[in-house]
Amino acid sequence: MKTNTPSRVAEKRSDSTASPQPLVSCQNVTRQYTRGKKSVLRQRKATQTVTALDDVSLAIDRGEFVGIAGPSGSGKSTLLHLVAGLDTPTRGLLSIDGTDVTTLSAKQRTRLRLETIGIIFQHFYLLSALSARANVAIPLVERGWSKRKRRERATTLLTTVGLDDRITHKPSELSGGEQQRVAIARALATEPDLLIADEPTGELDTATGGSILDLFEELSTDHAVIMASHDERALARTDRVIRLQDGKLIADA
Ligand code: ADP
Ligand code: MG
């Protein structure tokens, strides 16, 4: 684990624009899922409630590289989906960059997500028919950028992640690590304050996963990076690890 000395944190935070509130704030956040099950015998609908996140409170600042740890089913993806604005809590308060997301409409949450957050999924979700460059440019179409500007920006981003020689390759022509880098470049396209990655090194070999972690560490100097993982070696690279068990926060250090 990197030692998170006060001076390191102060140095990182002073780089970014000073903001009085944390970038992400969860207060007593609970997320329950209800599964409906029709009971043939009783002729009525039986429901089962799963508490995926249970009364979780935390705050994350700009400049932090935070790991979310816990066994499968402990609530890591649920927490990331909430923080990404893809889902809303059943109870509790959740604010992103000072905006209470629990009061926003789905459309407003989508806008906040497009403006503030970049998401990297475990399975990359690249479009197979498009080149690396066109995949990276997708979020900029939404922004109304011209084709020429989109291409320029996508090329710069692919260079940043070390793929300047893979710009016109299709996903099927790239290795797993290269595809993950394309997904990272795409997440960075809109200059998000917050990068969210769900098990980003899960399917990569140790060396490739290590280079993805190098990139996150570098990015966390001016973005907040939140990474769910059950790989202790990956977690050791973060500034701070939040541990979940059965939806409860059991450690934050
Ligand atoms: P992790 O990412 O740590 O593996 P998840 O956040 O995916 O954990 O899941 C936490 C719990 O919530 C699990 O018991 C899972 O089955 C349940 N869960 C997650 N998403 C849903 C859903 N959409 N509907 C019902 N249950 C869900
Ligand atoms: Mg998960």
Side-chain angles (χ1 to χ4, degrees):
M1 172 104 28
K2 275 188 302 194
T3 41
N4 208 359
T5 57
S7 63
R8 181 168 187 268
V9 173
E11 182 193 318
K12 281 182 127 191
R13 288 195 184 141
S14 64
D15 290 344
S16 46
T17 42
S19 179
Q21 69 258 339
L23 186 57
V24 176
S25 167
C26 293
Q27 283 172 51
N28 308 101
V29 167
T30 293
R31 178 63 168 108
Q32 290 175 322
Y33 294 108
T34 309
R35 289 191 187 121
K37 211 167 66 182
K38 185 110 179 164
S39 163
V40 179
L41 285 177
R42 290 189 223 140
Q43 292 292 305
R44 64 178 174 84
K45 216 173 173 192
T47 54
Q48 189 192 4
T49 301
V50 179
T51 304
L53 267 192
D54 193 355
D55 203 29
V56 167
S57 298
L58 56 91
I60 294 168
D61 279 314
R62 288 168 179 76
E64 281 195 292
F65 182 11
V66 179
I68 311 286
S72 179
S74 58
K76 302 184 296 296
S77 294
T78 301
L79 178 60
L80 294 189
H81 291 163
L82 290 170
V83 171
L86 292 166
D87 190 15
T88 48
T90 308
R91 284 192 294 278
L93 293 174
L94 172 60
S95 70
I96 308 291
D97 204 13
T99 303
D100 176 1
V101 297
T102 59
T103 63
L104 298 181
S105 66
K107 205 171 165 182
Q108 287 170 318
R109 270 190 287 128
T110 302
R111 172 166 300 180
L112 179 75
R113 186 167 71 245
L114 285 171
E115 283 171 0
T116 317
I117 298 162
I119 308 170
I120 300 147
F121 295 99
Q122 181 173 5
H123 302 290
F124 322 140
Y125 295 120
L126 301 176
L127 297 180
S128 57
L130 300 183
S131 68
R133 181 173 58 197
N135 267 286
V136 173
I138 290 170
L140 301 172
V141 176
E142 183 87 23
R143 291 249 165 134
W145 284 37
S146 72
K147 189 165 182 180
R148 191 182 55 80
K149 277 188 69 187
R150 292 200 305 263
R151 281 182 157 219
E152 272 173 23
R153 172 103 179 111
T155 302
T156 306
L157 287 162
L158 285 167
T159 306
T160 306
V161 298
L163 288 180
D164 40 322
D165 55 349
R166 294 286 187 279
I167 283 164
T168 57
H169 287 54
K170 301 251 168 69
S172 61
E173 298 161 343
L174 300 170
S175 71
E178 288 169 341
Q179 291 182 43
Q180 186 62 291
R181 282 166 188 273
V182 176
I184 294 170
R186 180 182 56 189
L188 292 171
T190 55
E191 299 187 311
D193 294 322
L194 175 60
L195 266 184
I196 292 176
D198 199 354
E199 313 255 4
T201 60
E203 290 170 17
L204 306 177
D205 61 76
T206 311
T208 312
S211 72
I212 297 292
L213 293 165
D214 290 342
L215 192 57
F216 283 151
E217 198 176 296
E218 220 178 288
L219 290 167
S220 72
T221 53
D222 43 29
H223 302 71
V225 180
I226 309 180
M227 173 184 75
S229 179
H230 53 242
D231 175 358
E232 288 298 331
R233 272 183 304 186
L235 293 164
R237 299 285 302 272
T238 65
D239 296 327
R240 166 184 165 201
V241 180
I242 290 166
R243 288 185 192 275
L244 298 177
Q245 191 179 305
D246 299 326
K248 292 188 179 71
L249 191 155
I250 55 164
D252 182 353

Coordinates of all heavy atoms in Angstrom, one line a residue, residues 155-247:
T155 N -7.3 10.8 -31.3 CA -5.9 10.4 -31.5 C -5.0 10.8 -30.4 O -4.1 10.0 -30.0 CB -5.4 11.1 -32.9 OG1 -6.3 10.7 -33.9 CG2 -4.0 10.7 -33.2
T156 N -5.2 12.0 -29.8 CA -4.5 12.5 -28.7 C -4.6 11.5 -27.5 O -3.7 11.1 -26.8 CB -4.9 13.9 -28.2 OG1 -4.8 14.7 -29.4 CG2 -4.1 14.4 -27.1
L157 N -5.9 11.1 -27.2 CA -6.2 10.2 -26.1 C -5.5 8.9 -26.3 O -5.0 8.3 -25.3 CB -7.7 10.1 -25.9 CG -8.4 11.3 -25.3 CD1 -9.9 11.3 -25.6 CD2 -8.1 11.4 -23.8
L158 N -5.6 8.3 -27.5 CA -5.0 7.0 -27.7 C -3.5 7.1 -27.6 O -2.9 6.1 -27.1 CB -5.4 6.5 -29.1 CG -6.9 6.0 -29.2 CD1 -7.3 5.8 -30.7 CD2 -7.0 4.7 -28.4
T159 N -2.9 8.2 -27.9 CA -1.5 8.4 -27.7 C -1.2 8.4 -26.2 O -0.2 7.8 -25.8 CB -1.0 9.7 -28.4 OG1 -1.4 9.7 -29.8 CG2 0.5 9.9 -28.3
T160 N -2.0 9.1 -25.4 CA -1.9 9.2 -24.0 C -1.8 7.8 -23.4 O -1.1 7.5 -22.4 CB -3.0 10.0 -23.3 OG1 -3.1 11.2 -24.0 CG2 -2.9 10.2 -21.8
V161 N -2.7 6.9 -23.9 CA -2.7 5.5 -23.3 C -1.7 4.6 -24.0 O -1.8 3.3 -23.8 CB -4.1 4.9 -23.2 CG1 -5.1 5.8 -22.4 CG2 -4.7 4.8 -24.6
G162 N -0.9 5.1 -24.8 CA 0.2 4.3 -25.4 C -0.3 3.5 -26.7 O 0.3 2.5 -27.0
L163 N -1.3 4.0 -27.3 CA -1.8 3.2 -28.5 C -1.7 4.0 -29.8 O -2.5 3.8 -30.7 CB -3.3 2.8 -28.2 CG -3.5 1.7 -27.2 CD1 -5.0 1.4 -27.1 CD2 -2.8 0.4 -27.6
D164 N -0.7 4.9 -29.9 CA -0.6 5.7 -31.1 C -0.4 4.8 -32.4 O -0.7 5.3 -33.5 CB 0.4 6.8 -31.0 CG 1.7 6.3 -30.3 OD1 1.5 5.5 -29.3 OD2 2.8 6.6 -30.7
D165 N 0.0 3.6 -32.2 CA 0.2 2.8 -33.4 C -1.0 1.8 -33.6 O -0.9 0.8 -34.4 CB 1.5 2.0 -33.3 CG 1.6 1.2 -32.0 OD1 0.8 1.4 -31.1 OD2 2.6 0.4 -31.9
R166 N -2.1 2.0 -32.9 CA -3.2 1.1 -33.0 C -4.5 1.9 -33.4 O -5.6 1.3 -33.2 CB -3.4 0.4 -31.7 CG -2.3 -0.6 -31.3 CD -2.4 -1.8 -32.1 NE -1.5 -2.9 -31.7 CZ -0.2 -2.9 -32.0 NH1 0.3 -1.9 -32.7 NH2 0.6 -3.8 -31.5
I167 N -4.4 3.1 -33.8 CA -5.5 4.0 -34.0 C -6.6 3.5 -34.9 O -7.8 3.6 -34.6 CB -5.0 5.4 -34.4 CG1 -4.4 6.1 -33.2 CG2 -6.1 6.3 -35.1 CD1 -3.5 7.2 -33.5
T168 N -6.2 2.9 -36.0 CA -7.3 2.4 -37.0 C -7.6 0.9 -36.8 O -8.3 0.4 -37.6 CB -6.8 2.7 -38.4 OG1 -5.6 2.0 -38.6 CG2 -6.7 4.2 -38.7
H169 N -7.0 0.3 -35.8 CA -7.3 -1.1 -35.6 C -8.7 -1.3 -35.0 O -9.2 -0.5 -34.2 CB -6.3 -1.8 -34.6 CG -5.0 -2.0 -35.1 ND1 -4.2 -1.0 -35.7 CD2 -4.2 -3.1 -35.2 CE1 -3.1 -1.5 -36.1 NE2 -3.0 -2.8 -35.8
K170 N -9.4 -2.4 -35.4 CA -10.7 -2.8 -34.8 C -10.4 -3.5 -33.5 O -9.3 -4.1 -33.3 CB -11.4 -3.7 -35.8 CG -11.7 -3.1 -37.1 CD -13.2 -2.8 -37.3 CE -13.4 -1.9 -38.5 NZ -13.2 -2.6 -39.8
P171 N -11.4 -3.6 -32.6 CA -11.2 -4.3 -31.3 C -10.7 -5.7 -31.5 O -9.8 -6.1 -30.7 CB -12.6 -4.2 -30.7 CG -13.2 -3.0 -31.2 CD -12.7 -2.8 -32.6
S172 N -11.2 -6.4 -32.5 CA -10.8 -7.8 -32.7 C -9.3 -8.0 -33.0 O -8.7 -9.0 -32.9 CB -11.6 -8.5 -33.7 OG -11.5 -7.8 -35.0
E173 N -8.7 -6.8 -33.5 CA -7.3 -6.9 -33.8 C -6.4 -6.4 -32.7 O -5.2 -6.2 -32.8 CB -7.1 -5.9 -35.0 CG -7.8 -6.4 -36.3 CD -8.0 -5.3 -37.3 OE1 -7.8 -4.1 -37.0 OE2 -8.3 -5.6 -38.5
L174 N -7.0 -6.2 -31.5 CA -6.3 -5.7 -30.3 C -6.2 -6.8 -29.2 O -7.2 -7.6 -29.1 CB -6.9 -4.4 -29.8 CG -7.0 -3.3 -30.8 CD1 -7.9 -2.2 -30.2 CD2 -5.6 -2.7 -31.1
S175 N -5.2 -6.7 -28.4 CA -5.1 -7.7 -27.3 C -6.1 -7.2 -26.2 O -6.6 -6.0 -26.2 CB -3.7 -7.7 -26.7 OG -3.4 -6.4 -26.1
G176 N -6.3 -8.0 -25.1 CA -7.2 -7.6 -24.0 C -6.7 -6.3 -23.4 O -7.5 -5.4 -23.1
G177 N -5.4 -6.2 -23.2 CA -4.9 -5.0 -22.5 C -5.1 -3.7 -23.4 O -5.4 -2.6 -22.9
E178 N -4.9 -3.9 -24.7 CA -5.1 -2.8 -25.6 C -6.5 -2.4 -25.7 O -6.9 -1.2 -25.7 CB -4.6 -3.2 -27.0 CG -3.0 -3.3 -27.1 CD -2.5 -3.9 -28.4 OE1 -3.3 -4.6 -29.1 OE2 -1.3 -3.7 -28.6
Q179 N -7.4 -3.4 -25.7 CA -8.9 -3.0 -25.7 C -9.2 -2.3 -24.4 O -10.0 -1.3 -24.4 CB -9.7 -4.3 -25.7 CG -9.6 -5.0 -27.1 CD -10.5 -6.2 -27.2 OE1 -11.7 -6.2 -26.7 NE2 -10.0 -7.3 -27.7
Q180 N -8.6 -2.7 -23.3 CA -8.9 -2.0 -22.0 C -8.4 -0.5 -22.1 O -9.1 0.4 -21.6 CB -8.2 -2.8 -20.9 CG -8.6 -2.2 -19.5 CD -10.0 -2.3 -19.1 OE1 -10.8 -1.6 -19.7 NE2 -10.4 -3.1 -18.2
R181 N -7.3 -0.3 -22.8 CA -6.7 1.0 -22.9 C -7.7 1.9 -23.8 O -7.8 3.1 -23.6 CB -5.3 1.0 -23.6 CG -4.3 0.6 -22.6 CD -3.0 0.3 -23.2 NE -2.1 -0.2 -22.2 CZ -1.3 0.6 -21.5 NH1 -1.3 1.8 -21.7 NH2 -0.6 0.0 -20.5
V182 N -8.2 1.3 -24.8 CA -9.2 2.0 -25.7 C -10.4 2.4 -24.8 O -10.9 3.6 -24.9 CB -9.7 1.1 -26.9 CG1 -10.8 1.9 -27.7 CG2 -8.5 0.8 -27.8
A183 N -10.9 1.5 -24.0 CA -12.0 1.8 -23.1 C -11.6 2.9 -22.1 O -12.5 3.8 -21.8 CB -12.4 0.6 -22.3
I184 N -10.4 3.0 -21.6 CA -9.9 4.0 -20.8 C -9.9 5.4 -21.5 O -10.4 6.4 -21.0 CB -8.6 3.7 -20.1 CG1 -8.7 2.5 -19.2 CG2 -8.0 4.9 -19.4 CD1 -7.4 1.9 -18.7
A185 N -9.3 5.3 -22.7 CA -9.3 6.6 -23.6 C -10.7 7.1 -23.8 O -10.9 8.3 -23.7 CB -8.6 6.3 -24.9
R186 N -11.6 6.2 -24.1 CA -13.0 6.6 -24.3 C -13.6 7.2 -23.1 O -14.3 8.3 -23.1 CB -13.9 5.4 -24.8 CG -15.3 5.8 -25.0 CD -16.1 4.6 -25.4 NE -16.1 3.5 -24.4 CZ -16.5 2.3 -24.5 NH1 -17.1 1.9 -25.6 NH2 -16.4 1.5 -23.5
A187 N -13.3 6.6 -21.9 CA -13.8 7.2 -20.6 C -13.3 8.6 -20.4 O -13.9 9.4 -19.7 CB -13.5 6.3 -19.5
L188 N -12.1 8.9 -20.9 CA -11.4 10.2 -20.7 C -11.9 11.2 -21.7 O -11.5 12.4 -21.5 CB -9.9 10.0 -20.8 CG -9.2 9.2 -19.7 CD1 -7.8 8.9 -20.0 CD2 -9.4 9.9 -18.3
A189 N -12.6 10.8 -22.7 CA -12.9 11.7 -23.9 C -13.5 13.0 -23.4 O -13.2 14.1 -23.9 CB -13.7 11.0 -24.9
T190 N -14.4 12.9 -22.5 CA -15.2 14.1 -22.1 C -14.5 14.9 -20.9 O -15.2 15.7 -20.3 CB -16.6 13.8 -21.7 OG1 -16.5 12.7 -20.7 CG2 -17.4 13.2 -22.9
E191 N -13.3 14.5 -20.6 CA -12.5 15.1 -19.5 C -13.3 15.0 -18.2 O -13.6 16.0 -17.5 CB -12.2 16.6 -19.8 CG -11.3 16.7 -21.0 CD -10.8 18.1 -21.2 OE1 -11.6 19.1 -21.2 OE2 -9.6 18.3 -21.3
P192 N -13.7 13.8 -17.7 CA -14.5 13.6 -16.5 C -13.6 14.0 -15.3 O -12.4 13.8 -15.3 CB -14.8 12.2 -16.5 CG -13.7 11.5 -17.2 CD -13.3 12.5 -18.3
D193 N -14.3 14.4 -14.2 CA -13.7 14.6 -12.9 C -13.4 13.3 -12.2 O -12.5 13.1 -11.4 CB -14.5 15.4 -12.0 CG -14.8 16.8 -12.5 OD1 -13.8 17.4 -13.0 OD2 -15.9 17.4 -12.4
L194 N -14.3 12.3 -12.5 CA -14.3 11.0 -11.8 C -14.2 9.9 -12.8 O -15.0 9.8 -13.8 CB -15.6 11.0 -11.0 CG -15.9 9.7 -10.3 CD1 -14.8 9.4 -9.3 CD2 -17.2 9.8 -9.6
L195 N -13.3 9.0 -12.6 CA -13.2 7.8 -13.4 C -13.6 6.6 -12.6 O -13.0 6.4 -11.5 CB -11.7 7.6 -13.9 CG -11.3 8.1 -15.2 CD1 -9.8 7.7 -15.4 CD2 -12.1 7.6 -16.3
I196 N -14.5 5.8 -13.1 CA -15.0 4.6 -12.3 C -14.6 3.4 -13.1 O -14.9 3.3 -14.3 CB -16.5 4.8 -12.2 CG1 -16.8 5.9 -11.2 CG2 -17.1 3.5 -11.6 CD1 -18.3 6.2 -11.1
A197 N -14.0 2.4 -12.5 CA -13.6 1.2 -13.2 C -14.0 0.0 -12.4 O -13.7 -0.2 -11.2 CB -12.1 1.2 -13.4
D198 N -14.8 -0.9 -13.0 CA -15.3 -2.1 -12.3 C -14.4 -3.3 -12.7 O -14.5 -3.7 -13.9 CB -16.8 -2.3 -12.7 CG -17.5 -3.2 -11.7 OD1 -16.8 -3.8 -10.8 OD2 -18.7 -3.4 -11.8
E199 N -13.6 -3.8 -11.8 CA -12.7 -4.9 -12.1 C -12.0 -4.8 -13.4 O -12.0 -5.7 -14.2 CB -13.6 -6.2 -12.1 CG -14.6 -6.4 -11.0 CD -14.1 -7.4 -9.9 OE1 -13.0 -7.9 -10.0 OE2 -14.9 -7.6 -9.0
P200 N -11.2 -3.7 -13.5 CA -10.6 -3.4 -14.8 C -9.4 -4.3 -15.2 O -9.1 -4.5 -16.4 CB -10.1 -2.0 -14.7 CG -9.8 -1.8 -13.2 CD -10.9 -2.6 -12.6
T201 N -8.9 -5.0 -14.2 CA -7.7 -5.8 -14.5 C -8.1 -7.3 -14.4 O -7.2 -8.2 -14.5 CB -6.5 -5.5 -13.5 OG1 -7.0 -5.8 -12.2 CG2 -6.1 -4.1 -13.7
G202 N -9.4 -7.6 -14.2 CA -9.8 -8.9 -13.9 C -9.4 -10.0 -15.0 O -9.1 -11.1 -14.7
E203 N -9.5 -9.5 -16.2 CA -9.2 -10.5 -17.3 C -7.8 -10.3 -18.0 O -7.5 -10.8 -19.0 CB -10.3 -10.3 -18.4 CG -11.6 -10.9 -17.9 CD -12.8 -10.5 -18.8 OE1 -12.5 -10.2 -20.0 OE2 -13.9 -10.6 -18.3
L204 N -7.0 -9.5 -17.3 CA -5.7 -9.2 -17.9 C -4.6 -9.9 -17.2 O -4.7 -10.2 -16.0 CB -5.4 -7.7 -17.8 CG -6.5 -6.8 -18.4 CD1 -6.1 -5.3 -18.2 CD2 -6.7 -7.1 -19.9
D205 N -3.5 -10.2 -17.9 CA -2.3 -10.9 -17.2 C -1.7 -9.8 -16.3 O -1.9 -8.6 -16.4 CB -1.3 -11.4 -18.3 CG -0.8 -10.4 -19.2 OD1 0.1 -9.6 -18.7 OD2 -1.2 -10.2 -20.3
T206 N -0.8 -10.3 -15.4 CA -0.2 -9.4 -14.4 C 0.5 -8.2 -15.0 O 0.3 -7.1 -14.5 CB 0.8 -10.2 -13.5 OG1 0.2 -11.5 -13.2 CG2 1.2 -9.5 -12.3
A207 N 1.3 -8.4 -16.0 CA 2.1 -7.3 -16.6 C 1.1 -6.3 -17.2 O 1.3 -5.0 -17.0 CB 3.1 -7.8 -17.6
T208 N 0.1 -6.7 -18.0 CA -0.8 -5.8 -18.7 C -1.6 -5.1 -17.6 O -1.8 -3.9 -17.7 CB -1.7 -6.6 -19.6 OG1 -0.9 -7.4 -20.4 CG2 -2.5 -5.6 -20.5
G209 N -2.1 -5.9 -16.6 CA -2.9 -5.2 -15.5 C -2.1 -4.2 -14.8 O -2.6 -3.1 -14.5
G210 N -0.8 -4.5 -14.6 CA 0.1 -3.5 -14.0 C 0.2 -2.2 -14.7 O 0.2 -1.2 -14.1
S211 N 0.3 -2.3 -16.1 CA 0.4 -1.1 -16.8 C -0.9 -0.3 -16.8 O -0.9 1.0 -16.9 CB 0.9 -1.4 -18.2 OG -0.1 -2.0 -19.0
I212 N -2.0 -1.0 -16.7 CA -3.3 -0.3 -16.6 C -3.3 0.5 -15.2 O -3.8 1.6 -15.1 CB -4.5 -1.3 -16.6 CG1 -4.5 -1.9 -18.0 CG2 -5.8 -0.6 -16.3 CD1 -4.9 -1.1 -19.2
L213 N -2.8 -0.2 -14.2 CA -2.7 0.4 -12.8 C -1.8 1.6 -12.8 O -2.1 2.6 -12.2 CB -2.3 -0.6 -11.8 CG -3.4 -1.7 -11.5 CD1 -2.8 -2.8 -10.8 CD2 -4.6 -1.1 -10.8
D214 N -0.7 1.5 -13.6 CA 0.2 2.7 -13.7 C -0.5 3.9 -14.3 O -0.4 5.0 -13.8 CB 1.4 2.4 -14.7 CG 2.4 1.4 -14.1 OD1 2.4 1.1 -12.9 OD2 3.1 0.8 -14.9
L215 N -1.3 3.6 -15.3 CA -2.1 4.6 -15.9 C -3.1 5.3 -15.0 O -3.2 6.5 -14.9 CB -2.8 4.0 -17.1 CG -3.5 4.9 -18.2 CD1 -2.5 5.9 -18.7 CD2 -4.1 4.1 -19.3
F216 N -3.8 4.4 -14.2 CA -4.8 5.0 -13.2 C -4.1 5.8 -12.2 O -4.6 6.9 -11.8 CB -5.5 3.8 -12.5 CG -6.6 3.2 -13.3 CD1 -6.9 1.9 -13.1 CD2 -7.3 3.9 -14.2 CE1 -7.9 1.2 -13.8 CE2 -8.3 3.3 -15.0 CZ -8.6 2.0 -14.8
E217 N -2.9 5.4 -11.7 CA -2.1 6.1 -10.7 C -1.8 7.5 -11.3 O -1.9 8.5 -10.6 CB -0.9 5.3 -10.3 CG -0.3 5.8 -9.0 CD 0.9 4.9 -8.7 OE1 0.7 3.7 -8.4 OE2 2.0 5.4 -8.6
E218 N -1.4 7.5 -12.5 CA -1.0 8.8 -13.2 C -2.2 9.7 -13.3 O -2.2 10.9 -13.0 CB -0.5 8.4 -14.6 CG 0.7 9.2 -15.1 CD 1.1 8.7 -16.4 OE1 1.6 7.5 -16.5 OE2 0.8 9.4 -17.4
L219 N -3.4 9.1 -13.7 CA -4.6 9.9 -13.9 C -5.1 10.4 -12.6 O -5.8 11.5 -12.6 CB -5.7 9.0 -14.6 CG -5.4 8.6 -16.0 CD1 -6.4 7.5 -16.5 CD2 -5.6 9.8 -16.9
S220 N -4.9 9.7 -11.5 CA -5.4 10.1 -10.2 C -4.8 11.4 -9.7 O -5.2 11.9 -8.7 CB -5.4 9.0 -9.2 OG -4.1 8.8 -8.8
T221 N -3.8 11.9 -10.4 CA -3.3 13.2 -9.9 C -4.2 14.4 -10.2 O -4.3 15.3 -9.5 CB -1.9 13.6 -10.5 OG1 -2.0 13.5 -11.9 CG2 -0.8 12.7 -10.0
D222 N -5.0 14.2 -11.3 CA -6.0 15.3 -11.5 C -7.5 14.8 -11.7 O -8.4 15.6 -12.0 CB -5.6 16.3 -12.6 CG -5.0 15.6 -13.8 OD1 -5.4 14.5 -14.1 OD2 -4.2 16.3 -14.4
H223 N -7.7 13.5 -11.5 CA -9.0 12.9 -11.5 C -9.2 12.2 -10.2 O -8.2 11.8 -9.7 CB -9.2 11.9 -12.6 CG -9.0 12.4 -14.0 ND1 -7.8 12.7 -14.5 CD2 -9.9 12.6 -15.0 CE1 -7.9 13.1 -15.8 NE2 -9.1 13.1 -16.1
A224 N -10.4 11.9 -9.8 CA -10.6 10.9 -8.8 C -10.8 9.6 -9.5 O -11.5 9.6 -10.6 CB -11.8 11.2 -7.9
V225 N -10.2 8.5 -9.1 CA -10.3 7.2 -9.7 C -10.9 6.3 -8.6 O -10.3 6.1 -7.5 CB -9.0 6.7 -10.3 CG1 -9.2 5.3 -10.9 CG2 -8.4 7.7 -11.3
I226 N -12.0 5.6 -9.0 CA -12.5 4.6 -8.1 C -12.5 3.3 -8.8 O -13.1 3.2 -9.9 CB -14.0 4.9 -7.7 CG1 -14.1 6.4 -7.1 CG2 -14.5 3.9 -6.6 CD1 -15.5 6.8 -6.7
M227 N -11.9 2.3 -8.2 CA -11.7 1.0 -8.9 C -12.2 -0.2 -8.0 O -11.6 -0.4 -6.9 CB -10.2 0.8 -9.2 CG -9.9 -0.6 -9.7 SD -8.1 -0.8 -10.0 CE -7.5 -1.0 -8.3
A228 N -13.2 -0.9 -8.4 CA -13.6 -2.1 -7.7 C -12.7 -3.3 -8.2 O -12.4 -3.4 -9.4 CB -15.0 -2.5 -8.0
S229 N -12.2 -4.1 -7.2 CA -11.4 -5.2 -7.5 C -11.4 -6.2 -6.4 O -11.6 -5.8 -5.3 CB -9.9 -4.7 -7.7 OG -9.1 -5.7 -8.1
H230 N -11.2 -7.5 -6.8 CA -10.9 -8.4 -5.7 C -9.5 -8.9 -5.7 O -9.1 -9.8 -5.0 CB -12.0 -9.5 -5.6 CG -12.1 -10.3 -6.9 ND1 -13.3 -10.3 -7.6 CD2 -11.3 -11.0 -7.6 CE1 -13.1 -11.0 -8.7 NE2 -11.9 -11.4 -8.7
D231 N -8.7 -8.2 -6.4 CA -7.3 -8.5 -6.6 C -6.5 -7.7 -5.6 O -6.3 -6.5 -5.8 CB -6.8 -8.3 -8.0 CG -5.3 -8.5 -8.2 OD1 -4.6 -8.8 -7.3 OD2 -4.9 -8.3 -9.4
E232 N -5.9 -8.3 -4.5 CA -5.2 -7.5 -3.5 C -4.0 -6.8 -4.0 O -3.6 -5.7 -3.5 CB -4.8 -8.4 -2.3 CG -6.0 -8.9 -1.4 CD -6.8 -7.7 -0.7 OE1 -6.1 -6.7 -0.4 OE2 -8.0 -7.9 -0.5
R233 N -3.4 -7.4 -5.1 CA -2.2 -6.7 -5.6 C -2.6 -5.4 -6.3 O -1.9 -4.4 -6.3 CB -1.5 -7.6 -6.6 CG -0.4 -8.5 -5.9 CD 0.3 -9.3 -6.9 NE -0.6 -10.1 -7.7 CZ -0.3 -11.0 -8.6 NH1 1.0 -11.2 -8.9 NH2 -1.2 -11.7 -9.3
A234 N -3.8 -5.4 -7.0 CA -4.3 -4.2 -7.6 C -4.7 -3.2 -6.5 O -4.4 -2.0 -6.6 CB -5.5 -4.5 -8.5
L235 N -5.3 -3.7 -5.5 CA -5.8 -2.8 -4.4 C -4.6 -2.1 -3.7 O -4.7 -1.0 -3.2 CB -6.6 -3.6 -3.4 CG -8.0 -4.1 -4.0 CD1 -8.6 -5.2 -3.1 CD2 -8.9 -2.9 -4.2
A236 N -3.5 -2.8 -3.6 CA -2.3 -2.3 -3.0 C -1.8 -1.1 -3.7 O -1.0 -0.3 -3.1 CB -1.2 -3.4 -2.9
R237 N -2.1 -0.9 -4.9 CA -1.6 0.3 -5.7 C -2.5 1.6 -5.4 O -2.1 2.7 -5.9 CB -1.7 0.0 -7.2 CG -0.9 -1.2 -7.6 CD 0.6 -0.8 -7.7 NE 0.8 0.3 -8.6 CZ 1.1 0.2 -9.9 NH1 1.1 -0.9 -10.5 NH2 1.3 1.3 -10.6
T238 N -3.6 1.4 -4.7 CA -4.5 2.6 -4.5 C -4.0 3.4 -3.3 O -3.2 2.9 -2.5 CB -5.9 2.1 -4.3 OG1 -6.1 1.4 -3.2 CG2 -6.4 1.3 -5.5
D239 N -4.6 4.6 -3.1 CA -4.3 5.4 -1.9 C -5.1 4.9 -0.7 O -4.7 5.1 0.4 CB -4.8 6.8 -2.2 CG -4.0 7.5 -3.3 OD1 -2.8 7.2 -3.4 OD2 -4.6 8.4 -4.0
R240 N -6.2 4.3 -1.0 CA -7.2 4.0 0.1 C -8.1 2.8 -0.3 O -8.5 2.8 -1.5 CB -7.9 5.3 0.3 CG -9.2 5.2 1.1 CD -9.8 6.6 1.1 NE -11.2 6.5 1.6 CZ -12.1 7.5 1.3 NH1 -11.8 8.5 0.6 NH2 -13.3 7.4 1.8
V241 N -8.4 1.9 0.6 CA -9.3 0.8 0.2 C -10.5 0.8 1.1 O -10.5 0.8 2.3 CB -8.5 -0.5 0.4 CG1 -9.5 -1.7 0.0 CG2 -7.3 -0.6 -0.5
I242 N -11.7 0.8 0.4 CA -13.0 0.7 1.1 C -13.4 -0.8 0.9 O -13.5 -1.3 -0.2 CB -14.0 1.6 0.4 CG1 -13.6 3.1 0.8 CG2 -15.4 1.3 0.9 CD1 -14.3 4.1 -0.1
R243 N -13.6 -1.4 2.1 CA -14.0 -2.9 2.0 C -15.4 -3.1 2.3 O -16.0 -2.5 3.3 CB -13.1 -3.7 3.0 CG -11.7 -3.8 2.6 CD -10.8 -4.7 3.4 NE -9.4 -4.4 3.0 CZ -8.9 -5.1 2.0 NH1 -9.5 -6.0 1.3 NH2 -7.6 -4.8 1.6
L244 N -16.1 -3.9 1.5 CA -17.5 -4.2 1.6 C -17.6 -5.7 2.0 O -16.8 -6.5 1.5 CB -18.3 -3.9 0.3 CG -18.3 -2.5 -0.2 CD1 -19.0 -2.4 -1.5 CD2 -18.9 -1.5 0.9
Q245 N -18.6 -6.0 2.8 CA -19.0 -7.4 3.1 C -20.5 -7.4 3.3 O -21.0 -6.7 4.1 CB -18.2 -7.9 4.3 CG -18.3 -9.4 4.5 CD -17.5 -9.8 5.7 OE1 -16.3 -9.5 5.8 NE2 -18.2 -10.4 6.6
D246 N -21.1 -8.3 2.5 CA -22.6 -8.3 2.6 C -23.3 -7.0 2.5 O -24.2 -6.7 3.2 CB -23.1 -9.1 3.9 CG -22.5 -10.5 4.0 OD1 -22.4 -11.1 2.9 OD2 -22.2 -10.9 5.1
G247 N -22.7 -6.1 1.7 CA -23.3 -4.8 1.5 C -22.9 -3.7 2.5 O -23.3 -2.6 2.4

